[in-house]
Amino acid sequence: MASHIVGYPRMGPKRELKFALESFWDKKSSAEDLKKVAADLRSSIWKQMSGAGIKYIPSNTFSYYDQVLDTTSMLGAVPPRYNWTGGEIGYDTYFSMARGNASVPAMEMTKWFDTNYHFIVPELGPDVKFSYASHKAVDEFKEAKALGVDTVPVLIGPVSYLLLSKPAKGVEKTFSLLSLLPKIIPIYKEVISELKAAGASWIQFDEPTLVLDLDSQQLQAFTAAYADLESALSGLNVLIETYFADLTPEAYKTLIGLKGVTAYGLDLVRGTQTTDLVKKDFPKGKYLFAGVVDGRNIWANDLASSLSTLQALEAVVGKDKLVVSTSCSLLHTAVDLVNETKLDDEIKSWLAFAAQKVVEVNALAKALAGQKDEAFFSSNAAAQASRKSSPRVTNAAVQKAADALKGSDHRRATNVSARLDAQQKKLNLPILPTTTIGSFPQTVELRRVRREFKANKISEDDYVKAIKEEIKKVVNLQEELDIDVLVHGEPERNDMVEYFGEQLSGFAFTVNGWVQSYGSRCVKPPIIYGDVSRPKAMTVFWSSTAQSMTKRPMKGMLTGPVTILNWSFVRNDQPRFETCYQIALAIKDEVEDLEKAGINVIQIDEAALREGLPLRKSEHAFYLKWAVHSFRITNCGVKDTTQIHTHMCYSNFNDIIHSIIDMDADVITIENSRSDEKLLSVFREGVKYGAGIGPGVYDIHSPRIPSTEEIADRINKMLAVLETNILWVNPDCGLKTRKYEEVKPALNNMVAAAKQLRTKLAGAK
């Protein structure tokens, strides 16, 4: 019985690629240094999978930024602003598309389906001249082959690539991206031809958009694309991989009807109903790559349950045609549990990171083939039983409090218009008030202080003193820049979710459980293993300290319950909404303590509310109902004069704007600049928004410093569709990934633009 891995984490067990990328970007190391780190990581991954007995090992899943940008490079679809003149795309062009440069902005970045991973959105139009401009897929296949590892090269499928793209600036929004299929298929044929010549016997096309709500024209595009590729694929075994959700019956019928295809990869963890489709109708002689090991969470697989599922499928597809696989790429999970030295043995026994999931896949494959490792299965069963019965998982008081939430929608007593009037009397802000989103640059010195305190190398007194000095520096800088509503810069926090999880019960933390979010940005998601509560105040001391340093309003900075949920590895033994309500109650306690401490502006970030939206429209309403309700629970008890902000970033918001309004926040700051200001289109189309709103005026994920004129132009576009008295001026997101030499001039220009327009508006009265 064969085994397969859809994809594997790239960063390395201790973020080796992250540090190599950042060193290269900072011009502290060479391109050759970066290439060597990358090659060593790839070699290690391939050898690990080969050693674990995996038959179908992926190549070309490694990336310096993301796999969609790699495909854009392969197709030579470089937007004209990067002045690429042809030939093989190098680092300068590649990273300029991802990050921008001194003269031009980066391409849009958005979430990869409903994950916390991001991709760079291709910008396409009728005039794009496609050409084969990156040979990465072939080079990496050859690289693995030279190491003695036969791999399955992985490409983003042509239809998913186009469906994940957007019309370039200046191209009609109604332009059919799928009309470009005949232009990109020839490039795919060139890649396929080279892979065949290099000795590939299998090829994997990732077509995850097949799990979305697709119309008949979109489904027909898959049929047309693979019919066109059929002759080029002759002689190859072709796997079409889907993941993240069920296939609709129509999409499943399209998938199994594709010409030239040998195998189908299905997510049987999130796609729970897809199994029924397979049992009803599976084409004879085809392979099923059954994704039974969860690629998106860190819980050990229930091997007995998975084996039962596989045995039922084996009876349908045939013993020699069933391949055990992961549900999706392991990119979305941490790398190796071996590196976790501080997790206690009980919790550790419940977990499996990417390296352990590779072992699980192979153990299931061997069990199906009659070579069951009884000791491994017995140990797994004991861990499953331990988790179900452990007293640390359940807290009766928390469950009772969450149950009591039923029957109320937890809205504030006064409407937002009246609240804004009361808040303005208290805060006395100018029109177009300026603020930032929360974090300020995390310097090497600041990281050292936190690291040494955690390692007990400095005392708590020394730590508090150092953090207070950093807060004072950030407060002074904001006052010098004349920002209206200040933040304390979050110097005590490495990560906005990790910080809160460390102080809430029901959470566990890793030392090296890093997961890539985008580029070199990694996050370390907390593990929610049990019922959640707040033992004591989490942020009140730091917020009060910061407020004592200034007469200007100081924002209390919290992460909202939906974002904590969506950016954690969540327990899978109860519905997600039940866990979310528990977190909401904990944050509610913190909000009310901040208010009592004299904090008049409290920001409750819900950066990840949109990314948790189910991929199926039929499931949207239920998710949005409990997600929005969870946010309202956090602040339903505050006074009218306490201003509640929230923040959202890097996603498509237009389709959930009414749910955003229903959150009933006083002010929302929201990503806007990197997505070509498409957020503003919803207001042009007539949606009325009565609360405060701050669409981001510049992209913080790029080192580029926008001019005052550029920011003023963005604000003017906002003023064309939004009332002057509700508009705020702020960056797209927090500033911790930037350097002070970038942040200071950018914020200076932002404040100058706001003042310039205030003067202009005052003169027009």
Side-chain angles (χ1 to χ4, degrees), residues 444-661:
V444 172
E445 174 63 17
L446 182 56
R447 292 180 191 277
R448 182 191 64 77
V449 167
R450 281 202 309 261
R451 191 167 57 246
E452 290 186 352
F453 177 58
K454 278 197 168 185
N456 296 316
K457 290 182 179 177
I458 60 172
S459 69
E460 185 172 1
D461 285 347
D462 287 342
Y463 171 73
V464 169
K465 182 183 176 187
I467 296 298
K468 281 183 174 180
E469 286 172 359
E470 184 68 19
I471 291 172
K472 184 63 177 169
K473 182 176 86 174
V474 169
V475 169
N476 288 347
L477 172 61
Q478 291 172 94
E479 289 191 328
E480 286 166 22
L481 291 167
D482 205 16
I483 291 172
D484 300 302
V485 175
L486 311 189
V487 297
H488 75 290
E490 304 176 10
E492 78 284 15
R493 308 177 194 182
N494 178 59
D495 177 88
M496 63 188 281
V497 173
E498 182 181 355
Y499 176 79
F500 290 97
E502 284 177 335
Q503 300 182 79
L504 295 168
S505 64
F507 283 73
F509 285 85
T510 62
V511 176
N512 286 298
W514 297 100
V515 178
Q516 185 181 18
S517 180
Y518 62 87
S520 68
R521 168 87 169 129
C522 298
V523 293
K524 199 164 45 162
I527 297 165
I528 305 177
Y529 67 83
D531 290 335
V532 177
S533 62
R534 185 196 75 145
K536 63 181 192 307
M538 301 180 285
T539 66
V540 175
F541 173 76
W542 297 119
S543 292
S544 301
T545 298
Q547 184 63 81
S548 71
M549 296 174 179
T550 181
K551 292 181 178 177
R552 300 184 186 215
M554 175 64 63
K555 283 198 277 194
M557 300 300 304
L558 305 175
T559 302
V562 185
T563 296
I564 291 176
L565 183 88
N566 285 336
W567 286 357
S568 298
F569 290 125
V570 183
R571 57 190 294 192
N572 57 1
D573 59 345
Q574 71 177 17
R576 288 173 71 87
F577 69 85
E578 290 185 13
T579 303
C580 198
Y581 283 152
Q582 293 177 0
I583 302 169
L585 286 170
I587 300 300
K588 181 177 188 288
D589 290 343
E590 187 72 11
V591 168
E592 290 170 5
D593 280 352
L594 282 168
E595 184 182 59
K596 286 173 192 166
I599 304 300
N600 296 314
V601 183
I602 302 170
Q603 181 170 308
I604 309 166
D605 285 346
E606 283 296 14
L609 186 138
R610 174 62 174 77
E611 86 181 37
L613 193 70
L615 299 177
R616 279 288 150 63
K617 286 179 182 161
S618 60
E619 299 169 19
H620 286 190
F622 178 67
Y623 167 78
L624 289 168
K625 182 178 180 182
W626 64 255
V628 169
H629 186 195
S630 295
F631 177 82
R632 288 201 306 263
I633 288 167
T634 65
N635 61 86
C636 62
V638 300
K639 300 177 217 168
D640 286 358
T641 50
T642 298
Q643 190 166 83
I644 299 295
H645 288 224
T646 190
H647 170 67
M648 296 182 178
C649 57
Y650 295 100
S651 211
N652 296 312
F653 302 107
N654 294 24
D655 56 345
I656 63 162
I657 192 66
H658 293 288
S659 294
I660 291 173
I661 293 169

Side-chain angles (χ1 to χ4, degrees), residues 379-417:
S379 173
N380 175 266
Q384 298 292 324
S386 157
R387 188 174 161 219
K388 284 176 184 171
S389 62
S390 175
R392 68 198 299 183
V393 170
T394 307
N395 182 324
V398 171
Q399 293 189 354
K400 184 179 178 182
D403 285 342
L405 294 170
K406 293 167 186 170
S408 170
D409 62 1
H410 297 90
R411 292 182 185 276
R412 291 170 77 179
T414 313
N415 68 43
V416 69
S417 177

Side-chain angles (χ1 to χ4, degrees), residues 652-705:
N652 296 312
F653 302 107
N654 294 24
D655 56 345
I656 63 162
I657 192 66
H658 293 288
S659 294
I660 291 173
I661 293 169
D662 199 38
M663 291 169 73
D664 199 28
D666 297 309
V667 179
I668 180 169
T669 52
I670 196 162
E671 183 275 327
N672 173 66
S673 65
R674 188 157 179 173
S675 58
D676 290 335
E677 300 159 345
K678 65 184 173 191
L679 170 71
L680 300 186
S681 66
V682 80
F683 302 113
R684 293 189 192 102
E685 289 159 11
V687 171
K688 298 298 180 191
Y689 193 77
I693 183 166
V697 296
Y698 78 89
D699 174 23
I700 63 86
H701 288 93
S702 168
R704 183 173 169 273
I705 298 162

Side-chain angles (χ1 to χ4, degrees), residues 19-332:
F19 299 122
L21 282 167
E22 291 173 355
S23 177
F24 174 70
W25 292 336
D26 290 342
K27 297 184 168 46
K28 293 177 181 175
S29 62
S30 68
E32 291 309 310
D33 294 330
L34 178 58
K35 285 177 185 174
K36 184 178 186 313
V37 170
D40 288 347
L41 285 170
R42 287 193 295 268
S43 170
S44 171
I45 290 165
W46 290 327
K47 287 178 179 177
Q48 176 193 349
M49 283 194 253
S50 179
I54 302 299
K55 180 175 180 180
Y56 300 110
I57 297 170
S59 61
N60 198 41
T61 58
F62 182 90
S63 178
Y64 287 116
Y65 216 87
D66 87 81
Q67 66 271 30
V68 180
L69 182 61
D70 291 350
T71 310
T72 294
S73 298
M74 182 184 86
L75 297 171
V78 181
R81 65 181 177 276
Y82 299 108
N83 297 319
W84 175 63
T85 54
E88 189 81 2
I89 288 174
Y91 287 154
D92 282 353
T93 300
Y94 181 88
F95 288 126
S96 288
M97 288 192 286
R99 307 176 71 238
N101 58 43
S103 56
V104 290
M107 294 166 71
E108 179 185 352
M109 182 169 70
T110 197
K111 295 287 170 74
W112 178 245
F113 293 82
D114 57 347
T115 75
N116 186 29
Y117 181 69
H118 300 67
F119 72 97
I120 302 298
V121 182
E123 302 172 11
L124 305 178
D127 299 327
V128 175
K129 300 288 189 289
F130 295 101
S131 64
Y132 187 11
S134 171
H135 293 66
K136 176 179 175 294
V138 178
D139 291 343
E140 289 187 13
F141 175 79
K142 290 178 178 177
E143 184 183 325
K145 200 171 179 80
L147 294 168
V149 182
D150 193 23
T151 61
V152 179
V154 179
L155 301 175
I156 296 287
V159 183
S160 287
Y161 176 76
L162 292 177
L163 290 176
L164 293 168
S165 302
K166 69 174 186 178
K169 206 165 188 178
V171 175
E172 288 292 328
K173 299 300 177 192
T174 55
F175 172 70
S176 170
L177 293 159
L178 290 174
S179 69
L180 297 173
L181 259 179
K183 293 186 176 182
I184 68 169
I185 290 293
I187 315 295
Y188 275 88
K189 288 180 178 178
E190 287 188 69
V191 180
I192 292 163
S193 174
E194 288 193 6
L195 286 169
K196 284 166 76 171
S201 58
W202 279 82
I203 187 168
Q204 175 179 320
F205 291 99
D206 281 9
E207 292 282 13
T209 56
L210 270 167
V211 306
L212 302 177
D213 292 312
L214 301 178
D215 60 34
S216 58
Q217 181 189 6
Q218 291 167 324
L219 289 172
Q220 176 57 33
F222 288 94
T223 303
Y226 287 92
D228 197 350
L229 287 171
E230 185 181 13
S231 59
L233 291 167
S234 175
L236 280 173
N237 290 295
V238 179
L239 166 63
I240 305 294
E241 187 67 49
T242 69
Y243 36 78
F244 297 152
D246 279 304
L247 291 166
T248 63
E250 295 79 14
Y252 180 73
K253 186 177 178 183
T254 297
L255 173 66
I256 63 174
L258 295 179
K259 292 192 174 175
V261 174
T262 318
Y264 315 104
L266 303 176
D267 182 341
L268 302 182
V269 175
R270 291 189 173 229
T272 51
Q273 295 163 33
T274 299
T275 309
D276 295 334
L277 295 172
V278 171
K279 289 176 180 176
K280 284 179 188 172
D281 181 22
F282 192 80
K284 194 172 181 182
K286 303 291 187 181
Y287 289 83
L288 172 63
F289 282 56
V292 293
V293 172
D294 192 353
R296 287 188 55 179
N297 218 325
I298 42 64
W299 302 110
N301 187 272
D302 184 338
L303 295 177
S305 175
S306 291
L307 185 58
S308 175
T309 298
L310 290 164
Q311 287 167 337
L313 290 168
E314 186 180 57
V316 176
V317 306
K319 195 173 187 69
D320 61 336
K321 298 297 182 185
L322 184 63
V323 178
V324 182
S325 184
T326 53
S327 65
C328 62
S329 173
L330 298 177
L331 171 70
H332 308 289

